[in-house]
Amino acid sequence: MSDRREFRDLANPEKAHEAIASLDLAPEPETVPLDEARGRVLAERIDAELDVPGFDRASMDGYAVRARDTFGADEMDPATLDLVGAVHAGAEPDVTVEPGTCAEISTGAVLPDGADAVVMVERTTEVTGEDESGADADVVSVEIRTSVAPGDHVMFAGADIAAGGRALGPGTEITPREIGLLSALGLDEVPVRGRPTVGIVSTGDELVRPGEELHSERGQIYDVNSYTIAAGVEEAGGEAVLYPHAGDDYDEMERLLVEASEECDLVLSSGSTSASAVDVIYRVIEDRGDLLLHGVAVKPGKPMLIGRVGDSAYVGLPGYPVSALTIFRTFVARAVREAAGKPEPRTATVTGRMARQERYSEGRMRLMPAGLVHDAAGDTLVYPVDKGSGATTSLVEADGVVVVDPDTEYLAAGEDVEVQLFSPDVRAPTLFVVGEDDPALSRLLDRVDRPRHLAVGSREGLRRLRDGVPDAAVVAGEPGRDPVAAPDPTADDEPVPTEVVGEWTREWGLIVPAGNPDDVTGLADLVDRDLRFVNRDSNSGLRITLANALADLAADRGTTRREATEAVDGFDRAVRAHESPARRVLAGDADAGLGLRATAERLDTGFVPLGTEPVRVHANPARVDKAGVRQLREAVADGDDVFESLAGYDH
Amino acid sequence: MSDRREFRDLANPEKAHEAIASLDLAPEPETVPLDEARGRVLAERIDAELDVPGFDRASMDGYAVRARDTFGADEMDPATLDLVGAVHAGAEPDVTVEPGTCAEISTGAVLPDGADAVVMVERTTEVTGEDESGADADVVSVEIRTSVAPGDHVMFAGADIAAGGRALGPGTEITPREIGLLSALGLDEVPVRGRPTVGIVSTGDELVRPGEELHSERGQIYDVNSYTIAAGVEEAGGEAVLYPHAGDDYDEMERLLVEASEECDLVLSSGSTSASAVDVIYRVIEDRGDLLLHGVAVKPGKPMLIGRVGDSAYVGLPGYPVSALTIFRTFVARAVREAAGKPEPRTATVTGRMARQERYSEGRMRLMPAGLVHDAAGDTLVYPVDKGSGATTSLVEADGVVVVDPDTEYLAAGEDVEVQLFSPDVRAPTLFVVGEDDPALSRLLDRVDRPRHLAVGSREGLRRLRDGVPDAAVVAGEPGRDPVAAPDPTADDEPVPTEVVGEWTREWGLIVPAGNPDDVTGLADLVDRDLRFVNRDSNSGLRITLANALADLAADRGTTRREATEAVDGFDRAVRAHESPARRVLAGDADAGLGLRATAERLDTGFVPLGTEPVRVHANPARVDKAGVRQLREAVADGDDVFESLAGYDH
C-alpha cells in the first residue's frame, strides 16, 4: 500500500484537453452505401457528374408546343394546334413538334424536339375529328386558351443541378436531405469520414459483465463502465470495441492494452476503483507506450492518464461510473467527435439558473453533476446532485455536469450556469418528485411522461420541497408528529406551504417469515421478546409511523419512548428501501422487519398488521399546473386499478 | 387524360393529422441486447431485482474497523489496532474484525464481519513488529489518527439501488446513462418499444435507382424519394424497407402494395409525378384497403392519400422530392416517432425572424420551404426558398418548412416564425454566399465550415445581397457596366454598400472542340461566321463580360451592340453552370461555348482566350466579422495553392 501512486503534480485541465487533441484519432476515410450514410460526414466535396434533370423536362401535364404558336391566344381567341402524338414519363419521344402542332405530354416526360414550352392541360380543349360516319372520333387537334413563353412549365436540362457544379462540401453531415441530393446525382456509395475505433478495457478483479452470475459475497459488482462508455463512444460517432476485463495482473493488462492498441484508434481503460490496478496500467503505459500526462486538477477525475500505447491513443478514465462518464463527456467525447468529423450537437448543453447556492473551494476544477427541473414559468433550474460518485444512480438522477472553475468559491442561487448534458438526448424530467418510496407511487409514475423520482424518504422529501427544487414530495404518515427527530437547523418556523394533489392509504406492520414461526402478534413482542428486527432509515415516513406507535405503547405502559426503542433489537438497523427489511427477513438475517402488507403479499412472507397510514403527494403550489404535476394528480385520481391491485391499499 | 383524378373536396390539414393518428402503427415490443439498446425506448418499468452494491462496500483504501474502537482518536492520541488481515476487491473476506483489531481493505472490497467503518489510509500509520533479531519485520498493528462513525467510507448494501425499487420507467429513452444503470442491475437484455416497419414503394416508369445506368434520352431520372424518405423513417425511429419501383400498371402496383402491407406497419408510396400513377394507386387502395382521406388543403401536398392496405396503414406522398419530404416531415414522421415511443427532438424546430416580407394568399395551408442564416448579432433570419418543388436542390438550399396558416396573407419582415427543420441534425450554415459559379470559389469553400453557396449568378447575387439576406455575394466581371440589363425596378438609387473581402482574376474565352477544328480566333468569328454558340444565363457575370466585349467590338466597327449579339447564333441559348457550355460543345451540340480556361483544361477541350475578368467577394458590411465570412476571407488570402492549380487564375 505504500507503493500507491500519488498524483502530486496535477495538470491544468486545459493541458489535458491539449494532450488529448495532440493524439491523432482520425481514421482513414471509407466508402459506405447510400442507405447507410445517414449520420455520417462527407470526407470530400461532391461535384455533380451529370445534369439534373438530364433532359428538358415537362413540369406539368399538358401539351408540348412551340411557344411562338401560342402568342396572342386567350380564352376568347384560342390557338388550334394539330395533335401529332404523345410523350409519357420514362419514354423516349417519337414525335417532333413542327410549327402549328403540339404533342400531349405527361409531367416528367422529355420535351420533344421542336417544342420549347408546355401548356397546362387546364388551359386546353381537345378537338375531335369525325369518322367516316360523321361521329366523333379521335382527338385531332387541341385548342390552346393561353399564351406561353419559351420555357414555361419546362425544367431545362441541368436547371436543378448542372454537371461540374458543387453539390456538397467536405464535412457535410448527411441527413435525409443530403441523401436526397446524392440520390439525384445517382450516387449509391458515398465517401465519408471514418468512425474512430475505440477499444474499452475495464479493469478490476471484482467486475462481472451484465447477464453473468454475480457473487456478492466475493465483492463482485456488475461492470457499469464498459457498456456506458461504449454507448457514449457510439453517440459521439465512434465505434466501440469491448475487451475482456483485466485484473490487476501486469502481464494480462499488458496483453490486453497492446491487443486493443493494435486494433483501435483510441484505447480507454476504466473500471477499477482500486489504486493497485491504476498502478499496473501506469506501468504498462510507461513500458509499452508514452505517458503524456498523469493526474489532472479536476474533481472527479484526478487519476486521469493520457498517452499512447503502441500506435494508438490512450486515455485512462476513473473507475466510478459517474466520474468515468463525466470525464469521458468532458475530455474524450469531443476528440471522438472531431475524429469522426461530427460537430457537437446543439442539444449537448443547456443553460439554466442555479436553484440554490452551492459552495465549493478546493482549488481544482470541479465537474459538478447536476439535475434539471423546470419551474412554474418553464425556466430551467439547475441543482447539484451529490450522492458520492460511487453511486450509479447519480447517472440517472443527474442530467449532466456543470464545469466549475477552480477560482469559483460558490455559485449563487439564481446564477446562470451551463450544463453539459450526459447525452444530447437527455432532457429535463416533466415531473420531479421526491420523498417516500411506495409501490403504488411507482405504478402511478408509469402513467406520467418522463418523471424523476428520488426515494429520499418523507422527511428529506419535505425538506427538499421547502427548498423549492422539486415539484412535489410524497409523504407517508405524519412526519410532523415525529417525537424524536432532531430539529432541522435549516428549517423555517413557517409551516411548509404545499398543496396536496393526491392521497391514499396503505397498511403497515411487521414482515415475518412465512407462517409467522415466532408467533409475533404486535409491537409489544418487539419490545419484550428477543427478536432481531430490521427498520427503515430515519428519513422514512414509515419508520416515523413506527416510532409514533412505539411512543403510544410506551405512554400506555408509563415508560419513555426511548426505553421502548432501546428495547427493540435492531431499531437502529436501518435499510434503505421499502422492500429491504422484508428481504432481510427472507434471507434469515432478521426475525421481523418493518414493511407493508403489499410487500408481504408480493414476496410471500408473513405479515402482522399494525395500522394504516396516509400517503400524500404535496406539490409546490406554484407548480400545480405544470404538465407533470397534473399528470400525477390525474394518475392518482384515476388510479383505482393500481390501488386495488395492491393489498392493504385504499383510495 | 380526361380521367385525371381531381381532388375537389380537400380535407383540412388537421383532419389529415387525425386520420394518420387513427392508423395504429405501433409494433409489438421486443427485447434487445444491452449493447444495442441506445436510442431505443423502454417498453416497461424496470424495477431493481437486486441490491446495488450487493454487499457493504469499502469506498476508500484503508482499514476496516469497528468505529467504536476509534472514538476519541486523533493526531495527538491515535488508537492502535491489531492488524488481522487484508480484504481485496473481488475477494471474499477471510477475516473477522473483533474489538481492538482492524483489517487492511481496498476500495470496492467487502467490509468484513465485525467492521462497520473504514478509516482512510492517509489517516493511519503502519506499526511493524520486531523479528527474532530485533529488526523491523511485518506490520503487526496500525495507528489510527482519526475518529470515524459507523458507516464512514462504507457504501451499504442497497444504498445505491435497493432491490424492489423503481429503477427506470416505461417510455424512458435509453442514453448512455440509462445503459449504466441497466448494467449495474446486471441486465444484458432490455424490453423496448418495437420500431415500426415502414415500406416504401416508389412509383413512376421513369425512376432509376441510384447506382444504376441512367437513360436521359428516355426521360429517366434517379429515384430521390426512396432513400430520402427511408432516411427520414430511420431518423424518426422506424425501420425502412425499400420495395422495387412500380410503374403505372395496376397489377404490379397491387402486388407491391399488398406485399408491403403484409410485411410492414405502414406503407408509403411516393415518387410519381404523373397523375396516372396516382390514379392507379387510388384504385388499388380502394379495392384492397380503405381510403380515409384523399386530398388535403395544403401546398405542396394536395394529392396526399391516407388509408389502409390490408392490415397496414397507408400514406401516399406527393412525387416531388421537396414536397414528399415536407409532407413526410409534417404529417408522417410524428406518427412514426409516436409508434416508436420517441419524443420529438428538441432541435426539430427553431424560431427565427422573417428576413423579408413574404406574400401568400391561396386559402390553403402552405408549407413554405425556408432557409436559415444568422445575422451579425447571431440571430436567426428565415427566408423563403422557392425554386419550384420539382428542384432537388431545394432540399439542401432550404433547412426546413414554415407552416403558414390559410388565413395568413403575408408574413411581415421581422415577424417571428417557427421553422420545422428537415432533420434535427440540420443547422444554419456558418456562411451564406450567393452569386457567380466559379471553380476556385468551390475549392475555397471546402475550407469553410458548413458554407451554403447558391450559384444564382453575379447580378442576382448582388440583388440578394442588397436585400440583406446572404452574408456575401461573389461577383464576376463588371455587372455595373452591363449595357443591356433591364433596370431592376426594385433597385435603390443608392449603390450597394458592400465590403470586398477577397478578389482574384480568371481567364475567359471560347470553349471549342479539341484542336479547334473551326479555327476560331476571336469574337469576330462568332459574329461573322456561321458557328453554333452556347451562352451562359443572363445572371452570369461571365455573360455580361462577353456582352461588354461584344459592345466594344460593335463600337470598333461602328455598329450597335444589338446587331452584334443578334449576329451570334445562340447568344440567347443559355445554360446554367460554368461547365455547361463546354459540355454542350463536347456533346457536339455547339461549335463554341462561353467558358473559362480552367474548364477547357479540366475537360480537355480547345480554348480561345478573350480576356481576364475579376472575381470579387462582396460581403454584407455588418457581417464581415461573422466566423464564416472571416473563414472565407482567410481562405482567399491563403488560397495560392488553389489559384495556382487552376489554369488562367491569378491572385
Side-chain angles (χ1 to χ4, degrees):
Chain A
M1 197 163 281
S2 48
D3 287 343
R4 286 176 85 254
R5 178 72 55 184
E6 294 288 343
F7 294 95
R8 293 187 193 281
D9 298 320
L10 298 178
N12 180 309
E14 205 38 56
K15 288 266 179 280
H17 281 297
E18 286 166 16
I20 292 177
S22 77
L23 304 168
D24 178 26
L25 314 186
E28 292 297 304
E30 56 183 330
T31 298
V32 297
L34 184 63
D35 58 358
E36 296 170 16
R38 187 177 69 84
R40 303 299 293 268
V41 173
L42 276 183
E44 52 191 68
R45 188 179 70 239
I46 305 282
D47 287 342
E49 296 282 329
L50 42 78
D51 281 339
V52 179
F55 52 93
D56 297 339
R57 187 170 186 243
S59 53
M60 285 282 183
D61 287 338
Y63 295 89
V65 299
R66 300 171 84 99
R68 196 173 288 265
D69 287 347
T70 70
F71 288 173
D74 61 18
E75 291 288 333
M76 302 306 295
D77 184 19
T80 301
L81 301 177
D82 289 344
L83 183 66
V84 294
V87 194
H88 297 291
E92 189 164 357
D94 56 1
V95 293
T96 299
V97 175
E98 304 289 354
T101 72
C102 67
E104 186 181 330
I105 194 161
S106 316
T107 306
V110 180
L111 195 71
D113 281 347
D116 59 7
V118 170
V119 181
M120 57 198 288
V121 66
E122 289 81 351
R123 298 298 185 85
T124 64
T125 308
E126 293 171 338
V127 180
T128 50
E130 289 179 2
D131 67 8
E132 282 154 16
S133 67
D136 283 0
D138 292 343
V139 175
V140 294
S141 61
V142 180
E143 281 184 8
I144 308 290
R145 305 196 308 271
T146 187
S147 297
V148 288
D152 277 2
H153 307 310
V154 176
M155 180 183 257
F156 285 109
D160 190 359
I161 311 167
R166 177 188 174 89
L168 294 167
T172 303
E173 262 195 287
I174 302 174
T175 72
R177 61 179 186 163
E178 282 80 18
I179 302 264
L181 188 57
L182 294 164
S183 295
L185 295 174
L187 298 173
D188 62 344
E189 290 191 325
V190 192
V192 295
R193 300 276 294 255
R195 306 203 302 155
T197 307
V198 181
I200 297 170
V201 179
S202 276
T203 65
D205 289 319
E206 74 275 30
L207 297 182
V208 174
R209 277 273 154 90
E212 292 174 12
E213 200 183 344
L214 190 75
H215 294 281
S216 290
E217 73 284 1
R218 287 188 223 151
Q220 292 183 341
I221 55 170
Y222 283 115
D223 171 17
V224 171
N225 288 345
S226 291
Y227 287 115
T228 306
I229 299 301
V233 165
E234 304 267 346
E235 190 170 72
E239 196 158 345
V241 182
L242 264 54
Y243 288 87
H245 293 140
D248 298 357
D249 178 70
Y250 181 94
D251 292 338
E252 188 187 4
M253 189 81 82
E254 181 186 39
R255 187 181 56 72
L256 276 171
L257 289 179
V258 169
E259 181 188 339
S261 75
E262 285 164 357
E263 296 167 349
C264 301
D265 301 302
L266 168 66
V267 178
L268 299 175
S269 70
S270 89
S272 183
T273 50
S274 78
S276 53
V278 174
D279 280 352
V280 172
I281 292 178
Y282 191 101
R283 283 192 287 131
V284 173
I285 304 299
E286 284 196 323
D287 293 350
R288 298 300 303 259
D290 187 10
L291 198 56
L292 298 180
L293 192 149
H294 57 100
V296 178
V298 58
K299 179 185 178 176
K302 192 171 67 167
M304 184 168 34
L305 304 177
I306 301 172
R308 287 196 189 82
V309 197
D311 291 334
S312 170
Y314 167 79
V315 177
L317 301 173
Y320 280 140
V322 176
S323 308
L325 186 60
T326 296
I327 292 294
F328 176 80
R329 167 72 179 82
T330 310
F331 291 93
V332 184
R334 185 160 79 182
V336 174
R337 267 199 311 272
E338 280 171 6
K342 289 174 82 92
E344 168 145 282
R346 272 167 299 159
T347 51
T349 57
V350 297
T351 300
R353 278 185 288 118
M354 286 297 290
R356 54 170 191 260
Q357 180 178 282
E358 172 75 359
R359 292 197 163 277
Y360 174 74
S361 52
E362 273 204 37
R364 290 197 267 161
M365 187 173 94
R366 181 177 174 201
L367 304 173
M368 179 182 84
L372 303 178
V373 62
H374 291 138
D375 69 9
D379 291 339
T380 300
L381 300 181
V382 180
Y383 58 93
V385 174
D386 197 357
K387 300 182 67 175
S389 47
T392 319
T393 37
S394 297
L395 280 176
V396 293
E397 293 181 7
D399 296 305
V401 167
V402 176
V403 178
V404 186
D405 195 80
D407 300 331
T408 301
E409 289 189 8
Y410 67 94
L411 298 169
E415 183 170 343
D416 272 347
V417 290
E418 187 180 78
V419 182
Q420 300 188 345
L421 298 180
F422 283 136
S423 156
D425 292 331
V426 163
R427 29 182 104 194
T430 52
L431 170 70
F432 181 23
V433 56
V434 297
E436 193 77 3
D437 185 15
D438 179 80
L441 176 68
S442 180
R443 285 165 179 73
L444 296 169
L445 288 175
D446 291 351
R447 301 174 182 186
V448 175
D449 293 335
R450 261 184 311 124
R452 163 170 288 151
H453 174 239
L454 305 191
V456 297
S458 294
R459 184 189 287 154
E460 173 69 6
L462 268 180
R463 193 189 68 72
R464 294 196 189 186
L465 184 64
R466 195 181 53 224
D467 272 359
V469 179
D471 298 318
V474 175
V475 176
E478 306 284 354
R481 249 201 77 202
D482 181 6
V484 278
D488 181 340
T490 67
D492 296 332
D493 292 324
E494 296 297 314
V496 181
T498 66
E499 182 169 334
V500 174
V501 296
E503 180 170 4
W504 59 91
T505 63
R506 59 185 192 179
E507 192 175 4
W508 67 280
L510 300 177
I511 307 276
V512 293
N516 194 359
D518 294 312
D519 280 326
V520 179
T521 58
L523 268 189
D525 290 324
L526 288 188
V527 176
D528 301 333
R529 294 170 54 190
D530 190 20
L531 295 168
R532 291 169 306 158
F533 177 67
V534 182
N535 205 343
R536 293 290 310 282
D537 63 273
S538 61
N539 278 313
S540 157
L542 188 54
R543 175 183 170 131
I544 296 167
T545 298
L546 170 71
N548 288 336
L550 277 169
D552 292 343
L553 177 70
D556 286 350
R557 293 180 169 193
T559 63
T560 66
R561 182 196 159 287
R562 170 176 286 266
E563 283 169 317
T565 57
E566 285 190 346
V568 175
D569 171 15
F571 188 81
D572 288 323
R573 192 178 297 133
V575 289
R576 191 171 158 268
H578 73 276
E579 280 189 5
S580 304
R583 289 175 180 261
R584 297 293 166 106
V585 171
L586 277 175
D589 294 340
D591 303 313
L594 182 60
L596 304 175
R597 179 184 287 281
T599 302
E601 291 228 344
R602 195 178 103 78
L603 297 178
D604 274 331
T605 68
F607 183 70
V608 181
L610 292 176
T612 291
E613 64 171 6
V615 181
R616 295 191 183 92
V617 183
H618 294 261
N620 178 331
R623 299 197 202 153
V624 289
D625 289 327
K626 213 178 129 166
V629 177
R630 277 194 279 110
Q631 284 180 21
L632 180 58
R633 186 201 286 265
E634 282 161 24
V636 177
D638 303 340
D640 283 346
D641 58 326
V642 167
F643 300 115
E644 281 161 18
S645 72
L646 287 165
Y649 272 74
D650 203 11
H651 178 229
Chain B
M1 196 161 280
S2 48
D3 287 341
R4 288 176 84 254
R5 178 72 54 184
E6 293 289 344
F7 294 95
R8 291 188 193 282
D9 299 320
L10 297 178
N12 180 309
E14 205 36 58
K15 287 263 180 282
H17 281 298
E18 286 166 16
I20 291 176
S22 77
L23 304 168
D24 178 26
L25 314 186
E28 293 296 305
E30 57 184 328
T31 298
V32 296
L34 184 62
D35 59 358
E36 296 171 15
R38 187 176 69 84
R40 304 298 294 267
V41 173
L42 276 183
E44 53 192 66
R45 187 178 71 239
I46 305 283
D47 287 342
E49 296 282 330
L50 43 79
D51 281 340
V52 178
F55 52 92
D56 297 341
R57 184 167 189 246
S59 53
M60 285 282 183
D61 288 337
Y63 294 91
V65 299
R66 301 172 83 99
R68 196 173 289 264
D69 287 347
T70 70
F71 289 172
D74 61 19
E75 292 288 332
M76 303 305 297
D77 184 19
T80 302
L81 300 177
D82 290 342
L83 184 66
V84 295
V87 194
H88 296 291
E92 189 164 356
D94 55 2
V95 294
T96 300
V97 174
E98 304 289 353
T101 71
C102 67
E104 187 183 330
I105 195 162
S106 318
T107 305
V110 180
L111 195 72
D113 281 346
D116 60 6
V118 170
V119 181
M120 56 199 288
V121 68
E122 289 81 353
R123 299 300 186 83
T124 65
T125 309
E126 294 172 338
V127 181
T128 49
E130 290 180 359
D131 66 10
E132 284 153 15
S133 67
D136 283 359
D138 291 344
V139 175
V140 294
S141 60
V142 180
E143 280 184 4
I144 308 289
R145 303 195 310 272
T146 186
S147 298
V148 290
D152 278 2
H153 307 311
V154 177
M155 181 183 257
F156 286 109
D160 191 0
I161 311 169
R166 176 189 175 88
L168 294 168
T172 303
E173 262 195 287
I174 302 175
T175 71
R177 61 179 185 163
E178 283 79 19
I179 302 265
L181 188 56
L182 294 164
S183 295
L185 296 174
L187 298 173
D188 62 343
E189 290 192 324
V190 192
V192 295
R193 299 275 296 257
R195 305 204 302 156
T197 308
V198 181
I200 298 170
V201 178
S202 276
T203 64
D205 288 319
E206 73 275 30
L207 297 182
V208 174
R209 277 274 153 88
E212 293 174 12
E213 199 185 343
L214 190 75
H215 294 280
S216 290
E217 72 285 2
R218 287 186 222 150
Q220 292 182 342
I221 55 171
Y222 283 116
D223 172 17
V224 171
N225 288 343
S226 291
Y227 287 114
T228 307
I229 299 299
V233 164
E234 304 268 347
E235 187 170 73
E239 196 158 344
V241 182
L242 263 55
Y243 288 87
H245 292 140
D248 298 357
D249 178 71
Y250 182 95
D251 292 338
E252 188 188 3
M253 189 81 82
E254 181 185 40
R255 188 181 57 71
L256 277 171
L257 289 178
V258 168
E259 181 188 339
S261 75
E262 285 164 356
E263 296 167 349
C264 300
D265 300 303
L266 167 65
V267 178
L268 299 175
S269 69
S270 88
S272 182
T273 49
S274 77
S276 52
V278 175
D279 281 352
V280 172
I281 292 177
Y282 190 102
R283 283 191 288 131
V284 172
I285 305 298
E286 284 196 323
D287 293 349
R288 299 299 303 259
D290 187 11
L291 198 57
L292 297 179
L293 194 147
H294 56 102
V296 178
V298 58
K299 179 184 179 174
K302 190 170 72 167
M304 183 168 35
L305 305 177
I306 301 171
R308 286 194 189 83
V309 197
D311 291 335
S312 169
Y314 167 79
V315 178
L317 300 173
Y320 280 140
V322 177
S323 308
L325 186 61
T326 296
I327 291 293
F328 176 80
R329 167 72 180 81
T330 311
F331 292 93
V332 184
R334 184 159 81 182
V336 174
R337 267 199 310 273
E338 281 172 4
K342 288 175 85 90
E344 167 144 282
R346 272 167 299 160
T347 49
T349 56
V350 296
T351 300
R353 278 185 288 118
M354 286 297 292
R356 56 171 191 258
Q357 179 178 281
E358 173 74 0
R359 293 199 161 274
Y360 174 73
S361 52
E362 271 205 37
R364 291 197 266 160
M365 187 173 95
R366 181 177 173 200
L367 303 174
M368 179 182 86
L372 303 178
V373 63
H374 291 139
D375 68 10
D379 292 338
T380 301
L381 300 181
V382 179
Y383 58 92
V385 174
D386 198 357
K387 300 182 66 175
S389 45
T392 319
T393 37
S394 298
L395 280 176
V396 293
E397 294 181 7
D399 296 303
V401 167
V402 176
V403 177
V404 186
D405 194 80
D407 300 331
T408 301
E409 288 190 8
Y410 67 94
L411 298 170
E415 183 170 344
D416 271 348
V417 289
E418 186 181 79
V419 182
Q420 301 187 347
L421 299 180
F422 283 135
S423 156
D425 293 330
V426 163
R427 29 182 103 195
T430 51
L431 170 70
F432 180 23
V433 56
V434 296
E436 193 76 4
D437 184 15
D438 178 81
L441 175 68
S442 180
R443 285 164 179 73
L444 296 169
L445 288 175
D446 291 351
R447 300 172 183 188
V448 175
D449 293 335
R450 261 182 313 123
R452 164 170 289 150
H453 174 239
L454 304 191
V456 297
S458 294
R459 182 189 289 155
E460 172 70 6
L462 268 180
R463 195 188 67 73
R464 294 196 189 188
L465 184 65
R466 195 180 53 223
D467 272 0
V469 178
D471 298 318
V474 174
V475 177
E478 307 284 355
R481 248 203 79 200
D482 181 6
V484 278
D488 182 340
T490 68
D492 297 329
D493 291 325
E494 296 298 312
V496 181
T498 66
E499 182 169 335
V500 173
V501 295
E503 181 169 2
W504 59 91
T505 61
R506 59 184 191 180
E507 191 175 7
W508 67 280
L510 299 177
I511 307 275
V512 293
N516 194 0
D518 295 312
D519 280 325
V520 179
T521 58
L523 268 189
D525 289 324
L526 287 189
V527 176
D528 300 333
R529 294 171 53 191
D530 190 18
L531 295 168
R532 291 169 306 155
F533 177 66
V534 182
N535 206 342
R536 293 290 311 283
D537 64 273
S538 59
N539 279 311
S540 157
L542 188 54
R543 176 183 169 131
I544 296 168
T545 298
L546 170 71
N548 289 335
L550 278 169
D552 291 344
L553 178 71
D556 287 350
R557 295 182 169 192
T559 64
T560 67
R561 181 197 159 288
R562 169 177 288 266
E563 283 170 314
T565 58
E566 285 190 347
V568 176
D569 171 16
F571 187 83
D572 288 322
R573 192 179 296 133
V575 290
R576 194 172 155 267
H578 72 274
E579 281 190 4
S580 304
R583 288 175 181 260
R584 297 293 167 104
V585 170
L586 277 176
D589 295 339
D591 304 312
L594 182 60
L596 304 175
R597 178 182 287 281
T599 302
E601 291 232 341
R602 195 178 102 78
L603 297 178
D604 273 332
T605 69
F607 182 71
V608 180
L610 293 177
T612 290
E613 64 171 4
V615 180
R616 295 189 183 93
V617 182
H618 294 262
N620 178 331
R623 298 198 201 151
V624 288
D625 289 328
K626 214 178 128 165
V629 178
R630 275 193 281 111
Q631 284 181 21
L632 180 57
R633 185 201 289 265
E634 283 161 24
V636 176
D638 302 340
D640 283 346
D641 58 326
V642 167
F643 300 115
E644 280 161 19
S645 72
L646 288 165
Y649 273 73
D650 203 12
H651 177 229

